């Protein structure tokens, strides 16, 4: 066992512990000096916009990753019925082992308290389009009011896209 208290047992090189910001520093240009590293600026985490948040949730339901009732408090009008009608067929399900991902999501605000959004969803070599409408209630919460996939209107009672 080594009697030198600055090195771990079994270490045979002559360098001591690495310098720390509050500890000793080696001379500039010395054998242990490392080139200065540029610190990568970490971008602060920006919260998702309402349409981005809803796109992720709708994707999870329509791909079968989450149950329909997960959207119960987040829908109004026929939107929940549309989702309940579609979810069993999982129109955005994974293809050939590729989990569907949200590629792009954009939204427009045609009126105060309304966002109309579209998203493209990719699963393997397949890309699908999804459009939805959000409405802001008196409680300032956003809720999904309508959903469309691939240009076909999803209405309660109508068969979904094949």
């Amino acid at each position: 066992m080594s009697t030198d208290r600055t090195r771990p047992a079994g270490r045979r090189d002559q360098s001591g512990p690495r310098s720390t910001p509050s500890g000793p520093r080696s001379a500039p240009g010395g054998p242990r000096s490392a080139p200065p590293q540029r610190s990568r600026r970490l971008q602060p985490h920006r919260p998702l916009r309402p349409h981005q948040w809803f796109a992720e949730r709708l994707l999870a339901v329509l791909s079968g990753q989450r149950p329909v009732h997960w959207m119960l408090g987040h829908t109004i009008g026929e939107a929940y019925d549309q989702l309940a009608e579609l979810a069993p067929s999982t129109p955005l399900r994974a293809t050939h082992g590729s989990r569907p991902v949200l590629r792009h999501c954009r939204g427009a605000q045609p009126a105060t308290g309304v966002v109309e959004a579209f998203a493209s969803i990719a699963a393997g070599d397949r890309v699908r389009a999804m459009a939805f409408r959000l409405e802001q209630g008196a409680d300032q919460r956003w809720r999904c009011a309508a959903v469309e996939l691939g240009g076909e209107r999803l209405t309660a009672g109508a068969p979904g896209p094949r």
Side-chain angles (χ1 to χ4, degrees), residues 12-94:
R12 299 195 189 281
D13 63 349
Q14 296 301 315
S15 63
R18 292 186 183 249
S19 63
T20 61
S22 60
R25 296 177 186 239
S26 61
R32 288 193 306 176
S33 68
Q37 290 186 355
R38 292 182 159 203
S39 63
R40 192 189 293 179
R41 279 191 185 170
L42 296 176
Q43 302 233 349
H45 178 69
R46 289 180 18 185
L48 293 177
R49 293 181 175 171
H51 61 277
Q52 295 167 324
W53 187 83
F54 270 91
E56 291 284 353
R57 290 182 81 89
L58 290 168
L59 173 60
V61 169
L62 295 174
S63 65
Q65 297 172 25
R66 291 287 186 166
V68 179
H69 68 267
W70 194 51
M71 292 293 291
L72 251 177
H74 304 289
T75 57
I76 56 174
E78 292 183 13
Y80 184 77
D81 295 333
Q82 292 169 345
L83 289 172
E85 200 61 41
L86 273 174
S89 66
T90 58
L92 299 177
R93 68 185 163 274

Side-chain angles (χ1 to χ4, degrees), residues 65-133:
Q65 297 172 25
R66 291 287 186 166
V68 179
H69 68 267
W70 194 51
M71 292 293 291
L72 251 177
H74 304 289
T75 57
I76 56 174
E78 292 183 13
Y80 184 77
D81 295 333
Q82 292 169 345
L83 289 172
E85 200 61 41
L86 273 174
S89 66
T90 58
L92 299 177
R93 68 185 163 274
T95 58
H96 306 293
S98 297
R99 183 176 169 204
V101 293
L102 188 64
R103 286 179 41 179
H104 302 285
C105 184
R106 302 283 188 267
Q109 196 165 6
T112 304
V114 175
V115 172
E116 292 180 348
F118 65 92
S120 64
I121 292 131
D125 59 352
R126 186 176 179 191
V127 178
R128 297 284 307 265
M130 176 173 62
F132 53 98
R133 179 182 174 97

Side-chain angles (χ1 to χ4, degrees), residues 106-162:
R106 302 283 188 267
Q109 196 165 6
T112 304
V114 175
V115 172
E116 292 180 348
F118 65 92
S120 64
I121 292 131
D125 59 352
R126 186 176 179 191
V127 178
R128 297 284 307 265
M130 176 173 62
F132 53 98
R133 179 182 174 97
L134 304 177
E135 296 179 4
Q136 193 172 30
D139 60 357
Q140 301 301 305
R141 291 181 56 201
W142 291 96
R143 291 180 180 84
C144 184
V147 179
E148 293 181 24
L149 282 180
E152 296 183 33
R153 174 88 177 148
L154 305 178
T155 57
R162 301 202 194 285

